[in-house]
Amino acid sequence: MTVVAVLPGDGIGPEVAAEAVRVLDALDIAHDEHSFGGGAILAGGDALPAETLAACSASDAVLLGAVGLPELEGAAVRPEQGLLALRRELGVYANLRPARAEGIDLIVVRELTGGLYFGARGTRDDGTWFDTCEYTRPEVERIAHRAFAIARERGGRVTSVDKVNVLHTSRLWRDVVTELGAAEYPDVPLDHALVDSFAMTIVDAPQTIDVVLTENTFGDILSDVAAAVTGGLGLAASASLGDDGPGLFEPVHGSAPQIAGRGVANPAAMLRSTALLLRHGLGRGADADALERAIDRALREAPTRDLGGTASTRDAGDAVLRALDATPTL
Ligand code: NAD
Ligand code: IPM
Ligand code: MN
């Protein structure tokens, strides 16, 4: 039997996850919920409890709301560490972050388990604090393969984004991407851009961008920029995939503490992540298409506050279920 591990997490995470669970129920997909993030730290001291990791590893796909609690910012054990550990444990190195709007259809392919977020860090005796950015050839090759394959499938092209004018790891990145493209994807147009000016291009000319291939930190930042030009973080979904094992599906946004607990968060990013779970995690492409159409319709009928409307999280979820032609469950 297919089982989805649901990790609601913190802040607006549980609010938007509740709407995703109603969609899973409407599609008769079994799911169970597990403790994760700030709530898990406060309950037992661990952001990613062993039971939660075991359930995720044994699942067919993992659906995550968001983590992050203001009171744990800067603490020794932080919710975000649990998220990084989960990504690493599941081996989901390829993070796909589509951004679509009128005239814009781009996808950020972000390397997710390397670079600055996973390198050695610490404080030296002389008082220097450091983080290190490291990449190996195989790490760059496998994410580049994903980006080229996606571009080939959609008849598009790849823009690889780096900082080769400054960073040593960007030299490796550019060389590996160039070599792989020439050797195995000569039919896929490839160009390179420097991350600073490319951030401007996303704002100025997003309609000219197709598949963006980039490393972990740049991808984190650029995907929020891409979200901003396509309707905001309330709409931005992601899929994190490895070579085998369950994928991890989560909105690009965080726990949004300023609006948490008020029932006003836009559940669309979470529901679009659920659609990505159906497509990439469970191989249910037709259900994914139907859900994406239902979300688009619901966004027109019941826009939430971030979109200038008045619909609550639940109202928006109801509209999606209606559009899916399912009876809302409570
Ligand atoms: P955020 O994404 O939580 O919020 C940024 C802005 O977008 C806020 O104005 C927020 O209100 C708005 N927003 C986000 N999601 C929304 C939604 N669904 N509907 C309506 N508005 C929405 O980013 P932040 O404020 O920088 O971070 C808050 C916390 O979330 C931090 O602890 C951070 O570490 C964490 N975080 C977690 C994840 C994750 O779990 N994947 C991702 C990003 C940030
Ligand atoms: C994201 C988030 C995470 C990241 C944080 C919370 C660890 O910002 O998913 O974009 O940087 O990957
Ligand atoms: Mn981010």
Side-chain angles (χ1 to χ4, degrees), residues 208-230:
T208 65
I209 303 171
D210 190 30
V211 177
V212 179
L213 164 62
T214 194
E215 61 94 54
N216 201 343
T217 306
F218 296 161
D220 183 24
I221 299 165
L222 296 179
S223 54
D224 272 34
V225 179
V229 299
T230 49

Side-chain angles (χ1 to χ4, degrees), residues 255-266:
S255 56
Q258 308 94 325
I259 60 165
R262 291 164 36 198
V264 298
N266 189 345

Side-chain angles (χ1 to χ4, degrees), residues 234-318:
L235 302 179
S238 89
S240 304
L241 307 172
D243 289 325
D244 44 38
L248 171 63
F249 302 85
E250 52 169 314
V252 173
H253 67 69
S255 56
Q258 308 94 325
I259 60 165
R262 291 164 36 198
V264 298
N266 189 345
M270 183 68 181
L271 295 171
R272 283 180 167 175
S273 301
T274 308
L276 295 176
L277 179 150
L278 293 168
R279 180 176 299 119
H280 298 288
L282 304 184
R284 293 176 61 152
D287 288 331
D289 292 345
L291 178 56
E292 283 171 348
R293 278 195 305 272
I295 295 164
D296 286 346
R297 182 164 160 195
L299 287 171
R300 290 191 298 273
E301 288 176 2
T304 41
R305 288 161 35 131
D306 54 313
L307 302 175
T310 55
S312 67
T313 308
R314 179 47 54 102
D315 294 336
D318 284 343

Side-chain angles (χ1 to χ4, degrees), residues 67 80 83-84 87 97 110 112 117 216 220 223-224 250-252:
V67 295
E80 292 80 359
L83 180 54
L84 297 179
R87 290 170 177 171
R97 297 187 156 185
R110 171 191 178 193
L112 199 62
Y117 292 15
N216 201 343
D220 183 24
S223 54
D224 272 34
E250 52 169 314
V252 173

Side-chain angles (χ1 to χ4, degrees), residues 13-304:
E15 300 170 36
V16 295
E19 302 312 314
V21 161
R22 293 205 297 159
V23 167
L24 294 179
D25 285 337
L27 295 173
D28 278 327
I29 295 171
H31 51 84
D32 42 33
E33 270 186 29
H34 304 277
S35 170
F36 183 59
I41 293 173
L42 298 179
D46 194 352
L48 175 58
E51 174 277 329
T52 298
L53 176 58
C56 291
S57 301
S59 73
D60 294 286
V62 182
L63 188 58
L64 165 66
V67 295
L69 285 182
E71 61 261 44
L72 291 175
E73 221 175 84
V77 182
R78 298 183 300 281
E80 292 80 359
Q81 292 165 334
L83 180 54
L84 297 179
L86 179 64
R87 290 170 177 171
R88 190 187 56 234
E89 291 293 332
L90 294 177
V92 290
Y93 61 84
N95 182 221
L96 317 184
R97 297 187 156 185
R100 286 193 199 97
E102 194 62 42
I104 305 171
D105 183 4
L106 66 87
I107 179 167
V108 176
V109 179
R110 171 191 178 193
E111 199 291 323
L112 199 62
T113 55
L116 210 43
Y117 292 15
F118 290 89
R121 67 191 53 177
T123 311
R124 281 194 285 269
D125 290 343
D126 68 358
T128 309
W129 294 52
F130 63 94
D131 296 278
T132 47
C133 182
E134 295 181 17
Y135 271 108
T136 63
R137 179 170 282 269
E139 282 177 320
V140 182
E141 271 173 0
R142 64 184 183 173
I143 188 70
H145 267 299
R146 290 291 180 128
F148 280 119
I150 290 168
R152 180 179 275 167
E153 201 185 322
R154 51 195 257 156
R157 59 197 181 78
V158 171
T159 302
S160 176
V161 178
D162 60 37
K163 184 77 185 177
V164 77
N165 50 345
V166 177
L167 298 178
H168 192 57
T169 45
S170 284
R171 185 74 262 162
L172 173 74
W173 188 276
R174 194 171 282 214
D175 287 351
V176 170
V177 171
T178 303
E179 286 164 24
L180 186 72
E184 297 191 37
Y185 303 90
D187 53 310
V188 179
L190 167 68
D191 62 354
H192 303 270
L194 297 171
V195 63
D196 45 358
S197 65
F198 190 72
M200 190 177 65
T201 303
I202 298 180
V203 174
D204 280 352
Q207 66 286 346
T208 65
I209 303 171
D210 190 30
V211 177
V212 179
L213 164 62
T214 194
E215 61 94 54
N216 201 343
T217 306
F218 296 161
D220 183 24
I221 299 165
L222 296 179
S223 54
D224 272 34
V225 179
V229 299
T230 49
L233 281 172
L235 302 179
S238 89
S240 304
L241 307 172
D243 289 325
D244 44 38
L248 171 63
F249 302 85
E250 52 169 314
V252 173
H253 67 69
S255 56
Q258 308 94 325
I259 60 165
R262 291 164 36 198
V264 298
N266 189 345
M270 183 68 181
L271 295 171
R272 283 180 167 175
S273 301
T274 308
L276 295 176
L277 179 150
L278 293 168
R279 180 176 299 119
H280 298 288
L282 304 184
R284 293 176 61 152
D287 288 331
D289 292 345
L291 178 56
E292 283 171 348
R293 278 195 305 272
I295 295 164
D296 286 346
R297 182 164 160 195
L299 287 171
R300 290 191 298 273
E301 288 176 2
T304 41

